[in-house]
C-alpha cells in the first residue's frame, strides 16, 4: 500500500545520481502493487522512478507535494490550453487547487488564471498568484474559461 513517498536514499545501486542520504520523492509506477508500497519504513523502487530533490522544507511539508503536485500538473497538461483560453481553478483552496494555481503561475499564465475559492472566507489570496479570485457566488464576467 502507498503509491507515493518522500525520504532519503538508504541503499543505492546508482551512487552518482542517488547517493546515500539524498532527499528523494517517488510516486506511482506500480508502487504498492508490483513492489512494496510507501507505508513501510523502507520502499524498494526502480531507480528511474526516484526523483532527487533539493529542499529545506520540513519532511511533513515536503511529503505533501508529490501526489498533489503531480495531480495538478497532469490535469493542467491534459487541458491542452490555447493562447486565448482562461483557466478557472475550482476549489482553489484545496491542496490540488493551490498546486494548480501556483503551477499555472510558473507557466507564465497568471493573467489567464482565475481561482474559485468556494466558501472560503479567510485565505492568503495573494499567495495563489492568479489574475482574479471569485467566491462561490461570483461569475466569470463573461470570460470563457476552462475549468480545472
Amino acid at each position: 500500500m502507498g503509491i507515493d513517498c518522500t525520504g532519503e536514499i538508504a541503499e543505492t545501486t546508482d551512487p552518482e545520481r542517488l547517493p546515500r542520504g539524498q532527499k528523494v520523492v517517488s510516486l506511482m509506477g506500480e508502487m504498492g502493487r508490483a513492489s512494496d508500497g510507501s507505508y513501510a519504513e523502507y520502499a524498494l523502487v526502480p531507480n528511474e522512478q526516484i526523483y532527487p530533490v533539493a529542499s529545506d522544507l520540513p519532511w511533513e511539508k515536503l511529503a505533501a507535494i508529490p501526489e498533489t503536485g503531480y495531480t495538478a500538473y497532469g490535469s493542467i497538461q491534459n487541458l491542452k490550453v490555447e493562447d486565448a483560453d482562461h483557466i478557472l481553478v475550482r476549489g482553489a483552496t484545496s491542496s490540488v487547487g493551490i498546486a494548480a494555481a501556483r503551477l499555472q503561475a510558473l507557466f507564465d499564465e497568471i493573467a489567464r488564471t482565475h481561482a474559485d475559492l468556494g466558501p472560503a472566507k479567510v485565505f492568503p489570496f495573494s499567495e495563489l498568484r492568479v489574475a482574479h479570485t471569485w467566491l462561490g457566488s461570483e461569475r466569470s464576467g463573461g470570460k470563457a474559461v476552462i475549468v480545472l
Side-chain angles (χ1 to χ4, degrees):
M1 293 185 62
I3 62 169
D4 65 288
C5 62
T6 304
E8 292 179 339
I9 297 293
E11 295 290 331
T12 186
T13 58
D14 186 355
E16 286 189 30
R17 189 174 83 86
L18 302 168
R20 285 186 184 182
Q22 169 70 53
K23 283 186 180 179
V24 294
V25 299
S26 183
L27 66 153
M28 315 279 266
E30 294 300 310
M31 188 184 340
R33 294 174 183 87
S35 64
D36 291 339
S38 61
Y39 289 0
E41 184 176 354
Y42 294 93
L44 179 62
V45 295
N47 288 349
E48 50 282 346
Q49 189 181 320
I50 302 171
Y51 305 98
V53 294
S55 175
D56 292 327
L57 287 173
W59 285 111
E60 64 273 10
K61 290 187 178 189
L62 184 60
I65 294 174
E67 187 68 26
T68 56
Y70 189 75
T71 299
Y73 179 78
S75 298
I76 290 167
Q77 294 301 310
N78 286 326
L79 285 176
K80 298 180 175 58
V81 177
E82 297 182 10
D83 288 341
D85 294 333
H86 286 256
I87 298 92
L88 172 62
V89 180
R90 297 292 310 261
T93 57
S94 70
S95 59
V96 174
I98 291 167
R102 289 182 173 172
L103 282 171
Q104 279 298 114
L106 287 174
F107 296 148
D108 197 27
E109 305 294 341
I110 294 172
R112 299 184 300 140
T113 304
H114 311 274
D116 177 358
L117 303 175
K121 300 292 184 212
V122 179
F123 188 80
F125 302 121
S126 61
E127 290 185 15
L128 286 176
R129 298 190 62 209
V130 297
H132 183 77
T133 56
W134 286 288
L135 292 176
S137 61
E138 294 184 52
R139 300 279 182 223
S140 68
K143 294 183 175 86
V145 295
I146 295 176
V147 177
L148 173 63

